[in-house]
Amino acid sequence: MARMKFLCDADRCIECNACVTACKNENEVPWGINRRRVVTINDGKPGERSVSMACMHCTDAPCQAVCPVNCFYTTDDGVVLHSKDLCIGCGYCFYACPFGAPQYPKLSNFGSRGKMDKCTYCAGGGGSEVPGSAEEYEKYGANRMLQGKLPLCAEMCSTKSLLAGDGEIIAQIYRERVIKRGYGSGSWGWLTAYREGIAV
């Protein structure tokens, strides 16, 4: 079975934020939460790069390991989902995640927070709601995988910097790009998230 993964080719990202906008619109993400964001590394210096970043749906997800209420689970496709019904808003996942994926709505001026929200790979949610239902959409956003579609953030990327899909196919696409370019890796976060034998 395919393992769904993300890869951002930093050499192609032009920091247009189309992925961020597509995610917010498709999932009606609440104000103050960004499931996907574009981060600039070495801003204004030689070697500056922009990277589209969200939950990488890690092979051994650190958020899943530290959650005291076990609200995280990994689907057969390798997508890491969470249950907002079980989440207690403790913030452990936020501190464990190397990508800063878990987000919390700010409910007051004094820092109290609600249920965690993160990228669902457009695969709906981890709760008890019927897949594809209005209740699932309201809690977790779009379930494009149910329709056989990839996450909208990757589909909207005009430079095809952000790739989503089967890890083997993505790795092959990236390998071909690197061979054609003739220099090293611009993939950020791949080995951190996916510690398995797929080399890019």
Side-chain angles (χ1 to χ4, degrees), residues 2 54 65 67 164 167 180-181 193:
C67 181
K180 191 171 184 180
R181 281 197 292 248

Side-chain angles (χ1 to χ4, degrees), residues 6-10 41 49 51-53 56 98-99 174 185-192:
F6 280 123
L7 185 141
C8 182
D9 184 348
I41 301 166
R49 290 179 170 209
V51 180
S52 179
M53 195 179 312
M56 294 289 281
F99 304 104
Y174 188 70
S185 179
S187 69
W188 190 88
W190 181 272
L191 293 177
T192 305

Side-chain angles (χ1 to χ4, degrees), residues 114-153:
K115 306 285 185 175
M116 186 274 289
D117 192 275
K118 74 170 197 68
C119 165
T120 62
Y121 205 87
C122 288
S128 58
E129 296 79 19
V130 176
S133 67
E135 293 81 23
E136 181 190 49
Y137 181 82
E138 188 177 329
K139 250 188 207 179
Y140 302 101
N143 192 340
R144 292 172 57 85
M145 279 192 77
L146 191 66
Q147 304 164 13
K149 298 177 182 176
L150 290 174
L152 191 62
C153 57

Side-chain angles (χ1 to χ4, degrees), residues 138-190:
E138 188 177 329
K139 250 188 207 179
Y140 302 101
N143 192 340
R144 292 172 57 85
M145 279 192 77
L146 191 66
Q147 304 164 13
K149 298 177 182 176
L150 290 174
L152 191 62
C153 57
E155 287 193 6
M156 293 300 291
C157 183
S158 61
T159 62
K160 298 301 175 207
S161 164
L162 182 60
L163 301 173
D166 181 356
E168 296 282 346
I169 295 170
I170 289 174
Q172 183 58 38
I173 291 168
Y174 188 70
R175 224 177 275 119
E176 289 169 9
R177 286 183 184 179
V178 169
I179 290 168
K180 191 171 184 180
R181 281 197 292 248
Y183 59 90
S185 179
S187 69
W188 190 88
W190 181 272

Side-chain angles (χ1 to χ4, degrees), residues 4-26:
M4 298 295 131
K5 298 182 180 184
F6 280 123
L7 185 141
C8 182
D9 184 348
D11 287 332
R12 284 184 169 220
C13 182
I14 58 172
E15 203 176 344
C16 67
N17 284 287
C19 54
V20 177
T21 305
C23 177
K24 277 191 106 42
N25 289 341
E26 180 73 1

